[in-house]
């Protein structure tokens, strides 16, 4: 197309005759994705300043918004501040992403909704991204010293935030029981063998079993563990199977998982 002007108040986009240059003017702050049909564009300016853009099919996309603001990083299951290598964790804040997206498949992507989470400068796998929350997985070989974490996206980067990393930090997502057995899904149960790369699904043959001792308590009684390791087909999620202890009292019962002396959050089963 020839030179022209496209107006969408309060925004105006002027493109050059060859379609390679696009100048966007707006009287307000853009807070989402501006999609412009300009497949030949090589340079885009916003209010006179050059901006980064990416190709998305036949579209060039400008994404702008307020800079991300860090709130806290916590265990994705228990929401406690304790984090472990290989565990799933959640970042809370504001303006973390400009859209909401979940990982479409495994292995988990390193970028989601236009953002990345950097741990000691390297991107980590992402499960979920939204303006207020990000779910990601820490590397399984992360050193047990404070790590530096940042959220990076088209609207800016948070300053580096220090998080403490332990060998284990068990957190229970959910649990269910049958008449004889208990099944728990958790994260942060520590190293497994064979090891699985971050973001990749655990295998079923062989199973990746926990290398540290895992015990389960239900209703104050020991529940003998029959399996503790990564849940097959999932990334960063552990599965613990246990036998129901004899003589359980009636009514709601508390359940906890302990790994090498470190206890998880407590959940209650009917």
């Amino acid at each position: 197309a020839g030179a022209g002007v496209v107006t969408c108040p309060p925004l105006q986009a002027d493109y050059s005759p060859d379609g390679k240059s696009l100048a966007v003017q707006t009287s307000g702050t853009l807070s989402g994705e501006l999609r412009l049909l300009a497949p030949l564009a090589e340079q885009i300016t916003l209010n006179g300043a050059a901006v980064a853009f990416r190709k998305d099919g036949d579209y060039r996309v400008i994404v702008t918004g307020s800079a991300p603001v860090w709130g806290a990083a916590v265990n994705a299951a228990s929401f406690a501040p304790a984090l472990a290598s290989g565990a799933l964790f959640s970042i809370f804040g504001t303006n973390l992403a400009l859209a909401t997206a979940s990982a479409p498949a495994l292995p988990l992507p390193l970028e989601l909704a236009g953002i990345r989470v950097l741990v000691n400068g390297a991107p980590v796998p992402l499960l979920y991204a939204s303006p207020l929350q990000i779910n990601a997985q820490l590397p399984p070989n992360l050193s047990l010293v404070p790590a530096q974490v940042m959220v990076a996206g088209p609207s800016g980067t948070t300053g580096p935030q220090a998080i403490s990393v332990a060998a284990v930090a068990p957190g229970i997502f959910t649990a269910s029981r049958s008449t004889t057995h208990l099944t728990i899904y958790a994260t942060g149960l520590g190293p497994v063998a064979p090891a699985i790369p971050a973001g990749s699904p655990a295998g079923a043959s062989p199973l990746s079993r926990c290398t540290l001792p895992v015990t389960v308590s239900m209703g104050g009684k020991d529940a003998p563990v029959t399996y503790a390791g990564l849940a097959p087909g999932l990334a960063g999620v552990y599965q613990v199977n246990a036998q129901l202890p004899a003589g359980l009292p009636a009514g709601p019962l508390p359940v906890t998982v302990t790994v090498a002396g470190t206890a998880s959050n407590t959940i209650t089963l009917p």
Side-chain angles (χ1 to χ4, degrees):
V5 175
V6 178
T7 303
C8 180
L11 178 148
Q12 178 175 297
D14 299 272
Y15 51 93
S16 62
D18 60 6
K20 294 184 178 181
S21 179
L22 191 63
V24 180
Q25 296 290 328
T26 179
S27 59
T29 300
L30 297 175
S31 59
E33 288 193 353
L34 171 63
R35 292 178 175 266
L36 298 167
L37 181 58
L40 299 179
E42 296 177 355
Q43 180 181 9
I44 297 178
T45 60
L46 176 63
N47 295 334
V51 296
F53 59 95
R54 68 179 186 272
K55 181 98 174 192
D56 183 8
D58 290 333
Y59 290 82
R60 296 287 182 169
V61 183
I62 306 172
V63 185
T64 63
S66 300
V69 178
W70 181 279
V74 297
N75 185 298
S78 66
F79 297 119
L83 300 174
S85 294
L88 301 182
F89 72 112
S90 297
I91 298 171
F92 291 97
T94 56
N95 307 318
L96 297 176
L98 293 172
T100 298
S102 297
L106 293 170
L108 298 173
L110 300 179
E111 181 175 321
L112 198 59
I115 63 99
R116 296 187 302 161
V117 173
L118 307 177
V119 176
N120 294 337
V124 298
L126 304 176
L127 294 87
Y128 173 81
S130 74
L132 301 178
Q133 179 178 348
I134 298 170
N135 296 338
Q137 184 183 7
L138 289 171
N141 58 348
L142 194 60
S143 298
L144 305 184
V145 295
Q148 299 295 316
V149 183
M150 296 190 300
V151 177
S155 299
T157 303
T158 64
Q161 304 292 324
I163 61 169
S164 296
V165 181
V168 298
I172 299 176
F173 287 111
T174 186
S176 62
R177 59 180 288 185
S178 66
T179 56
T180 59
H181 285 80
L182 174 67
T183 301
I184 300 168
Y185 291 96
T187 195
L189 274 60
V192 297
I196 301 294
S200 296
S205 181
L207 292 167
S208 289
R209 298 178 181 270
C210 292
T211 60
L212 298 175
V214 178
T215 60
V216 172
S217 172
M218 183 176 188
K221 296 178 176 290
D222 179 64
V225 173
T226 58
Y227 173 73
L230 292 177
L234 300 177
V237 177
Y238 294 74
Q239 180 176 336
V240 180
N241 299 335
Q243 297 175 355
L244 294 187
L248 284 174
L253 299 173
V255 175
T256 59
V257 173
T258 299
V259 184
T262 301
S264 71
N265 56 312
T266 299
I267 65 166
T268 301
L269 285 180

